Amino acid sequence: MAKIVVQGGQRLRGTVKASGAKNAVLPIIAASLLGSVGESVLEEVPNLSDVGNLRLLLEALGVETSEVGPGLLRLNAELAESTEAPAELVRKLRASFLVLGPILSRFGRARVAMPGGCSIGERKVDLHIKGFEAMGARVEQGENFIEAIAEGGRLKGATIYLDFASVGATQNIMMAAVLAEGKTVIENAAKEPEIVDLANYLNKMGADVRGAGTDTIRINGVEQMHGAEHMIIPDRIEAGTFLIGAAVTGGDVYVEGAISNHLAPLLAKLKEAGATVVDDVTGVRVYVEGPLRPLDVKTLVYPGFPTDLQAQMMALLTAIPGRSAVTETVFENRFMHVAELRRMGADITVSGRTAHVIGGKPLHGAKVTSTDLRAGACLILAALTATGHTEIHGVHHIDRGYVDIVQKFTDLGAKIERVERQEFKADEQAIGQAFL
């Protein structure tokens, strides 16, 4: 266990590189189970706790995994044979449920415990089950597990309409369909860049997936898949976090590797607020030269404003004088960071799915807790503007989705450090001296 301590008042300036996307690499690692011949080598794999936990899960299923260089991960699933994912590993992260589709597709049966993850709202798996059943699987859902068995040992192609454009369900059904007999059509599919990245990897493995990035994905089943080489796309949420950091501190930050098309709704809002946005073929730059204007922000499924940047955006709005509003439509329990921002002096009231922010009031350092992954990033951003030092606990949440976040903020000029548990006994004066 650890905490992050931030001394506020510093403007972020400089260049930072976006890591490989957490939300892309996890389903791609799960998809490696489909390769019954050869090995896969993934590039730009971020060093995250979620990645480590998913590797442990695949190893338990018989997949050989090894790091062959910085950001390079080798996976060989030739000898994989287990159809049951161990509960103690599955419960460590939500994305572990994505192994169900590949296992079911390759072996004709799968048993997976109900997954864990951040408590940001109800994330049902009914759409996943609906897709598997449409392809001919018999699904039994117990209190703590889901078991699926394909009739005749192989899934059958089907047309599946998703009631909600769920990213996880789209990914799981895609991976289940690639080895199914016949053609599968996913209607109202999620359109995120991470869906496209997964489709590209599957196609390199020998699959026939078309239409990823649109609301209709067509998949022609194949008989066998093999390992492949693939580079993970840059993390748009990490990139967005640092670009918001430039705005919230009145700074100037260039995120190398950021793809402007993936960040369009965020960049539009930053421009609306008065920040300057410059994008080129290698990254995106945001800088601020004058006062910013309040905003109304509403999260939506892609290509709308991402729910994974909602908390970070709220930190920015607390620094902008005037009335702003944030409406969350994706997850019903994603305002837990509001209470922590209030500890720092933020003026925020919540009414239903909307948080009303009266910004421009000075924030002060406090002891706060990261309640989920993106809430942790929000608190770091807020701490950068606060007077005094802020202690952020619950750092394990942040470790799930940000690579070397303390070092990256330090490189941009922030006064920030990570303090491990054995160092917690340092008194307040000693902590303050660390920033002098």
Side-chain angles (χ1 to χ4, degrees):
M1 300 295 289
K3 64 182 177 182
I4 290 175
V5 184
V6 182
Q7 178 71 37
Q10 309 301 313
R11 290 186 176 183
L12 299 185
R13 295 183 181 277
T15 298
V16 64
K17 182 181 178 181
S19 302
K22 165 187 175 290
N23 291 336
V25 73
L26 297 178
I28 285 173
I29 289 175
S32 68
L33 279 161
L34 294 161
S36 56
V37 177
E39 66 179 29
S40 290
V41 177
L42 305 180
E43 299 179 49
E44 296 295 336
V45 175
N47 183 20
L48 300 171
S49 60
D50 271 10
V51 170
N53 286 328
L54 190 55
R55 281 183 60 188
L56 290 174
L57 175 56
L58 262 66
E59 288 170 358
L61 294 170
V63 178
E64 296 178 2
T65 81
S66 61
E67 296 179 20
V68 293
L72 293 174
L73 179 63
R74 184 187 69 85
L75 302 118
N76 190 323
E78 288 185 342
L79 300 180
E81 59 181 7
S82 176
T83 60
E84 181 169 354
E88 65 273 15
L89 295 176
V90 171
R91 295 195 179 107
K92 289 185 177 182
L93 74 158
R94 176 79 186 174
S96 60
F97 194 69
L98 292 175
V99 302
L100 181 55
I103 296 174
L104 177 60
S105 186
R106 179 173 170 182
F107 301 109
R109 64 185 303 138
R111 181 183 172 97
V112 176
M114 294 300 290
C118 288
S119 302
I120 58 175
E122 190 172 15
R123 293 187 278 187
K124 296 180 179 179
V125 296
D126 56 332
L127 294 181
H128 304 240
I129 294 173
K130 174 183 175 181
F132 300 147
E133 289 179 334
M135 288 187 281
R138 185 176 75 254
V139 181
E140 178 185 353
Q141 185 172 1
E143 183 177 351
N144 298 311
F145 71 91
I146 290 179
E147 184 171 18
I149 301 175
E151 298 292 345
R154 186 180 182 187
L155 296 174
K156 305 294 190 297
T159 297
I160 302 159
Y161 177 84
L162 298 180
D163 298 323
F164 173 77
S166 163
V167 174
T170 300
Q171 292 168 333
N172 229 345
I173 294 170
M174 284 171 63
M175 292 185 285
V178 292
L179 290 174
E181 181 181 345
K183 181 177 181 179
T184 298
V185 179
I186 307 173
E187 298 177 338
N188 195 33
K191 297 179 283 189
E192 276 78 355
E194 294 80 12
I195 298 291
V196 177
D197 207 31
L198 174 60
N200 290 338
Y201 177 59
L202 292 172
N203 286 337
K204 290 177 182 178
M205 296 180 73
D208 185 358
V209 181
R210 306 179 186 184
T214 74
D215 60 6
T216 303
I217 299 176
R218 293 175 171 84
I219 304 165
N220 293 307
V222 298
E223 295 295 326
Q224 187 180 59
M225 292 176 63
H226 51 77
E229 295 183 2
H230 183 74
M231 180 179 293
I232 309 299
I233 60 172
D235 195 313
R236 60 192 173 100
I237 305 303
E238 183 200 41
T241 298
F242 288 112
L243 294 174
I244 293 173
V248 77
T249 63
D252 185 346
V253 172
Y254 180 79
V255 180
E256 180 184 341
I259 300 173
S260 59
N261 286 345
H262 294 177
L263 292 162
L266 169 65
L267 300 183
K269 283 298 177 181
L270 292 177
K271 290 177 183 177
E272 183 182 338
T276 300
V277 176
V278 181
D279 67 279
D280 56 37
V281 294
T282 60
V284 178
R285 176 190 178 197
V286 168
Y287 63 92
V288 176
E289 294 182 319
L292 298 179
R293 298 180 290 273
L295 297 169
D296 287 344
V297 177
K298 183 177 183 179
T299 66
L300 294 165
V301 296
Y302 190 86
F305 193 93
T307 181
D308 279 353
L309 286 174
Q310 177 257 106
Q312 299 92 308
M313 199 65 175
M314 193 177 295
L316 170 61
L317 298 180
T318 64
I320 300 175
R323 295 178 178 271
S324 296
V326 178
T327 301
E328 173 61 53
T329 72
V330 180
F331 292 117
E332 73 279 4
N333 195 27
R334 205 160 201 179
F335 281 152
M336 292 187 289
H337 50 278
V338 169
E340 304 305 305
L341 289 173
R342 286 175 178 160
R343 294 178 187 272
M344 301 175 69
D347 188 344
I348 306 172
T349 57
V350 176
S351 177
R353 290 279 185 116
T354 300
H356 301 276
V357 182
I358 300 178
K361 298 186 177 182
L363 300 185
H364 54 78
K367 292 184 179 180
V368 293
T369 300
S370 170
T371 52
D372 62 74
L373 168 56
R374 307 307 174 184
C378 160
L379 295 175
I380 291 176
L381 294 176
L384 292 172
T385 70
T387 58
H389 71 267
T390 300
E391 294 184 15
I392 302 169
H393 297 260
V395 173
H396 63 284
H397 287 300
I398 302 173
D399 292 340
R400 290 184 47 240
Y402 290 92
V403 178
D404 296 330
I405 192 169
V406 169
Q407 186 60 55
K408 288 185 175 181
F409 271 115
T410 297
D411 291 343
L412 293 173
K415 290 186 175 181
I416 179 173
E417 70 169 352
R418 183 185 181 105
V419 182
E420 301 298 332
R421 176 175 288 276
Q422 61 266 28
E423 301 175 60
F424 276 15
K425 294 183 180 180
D427 60 26
E428 297 293 329
Q429 182 176 2
I431 293 173
Q433 289 293 322
F435 296 102
L436 296 179

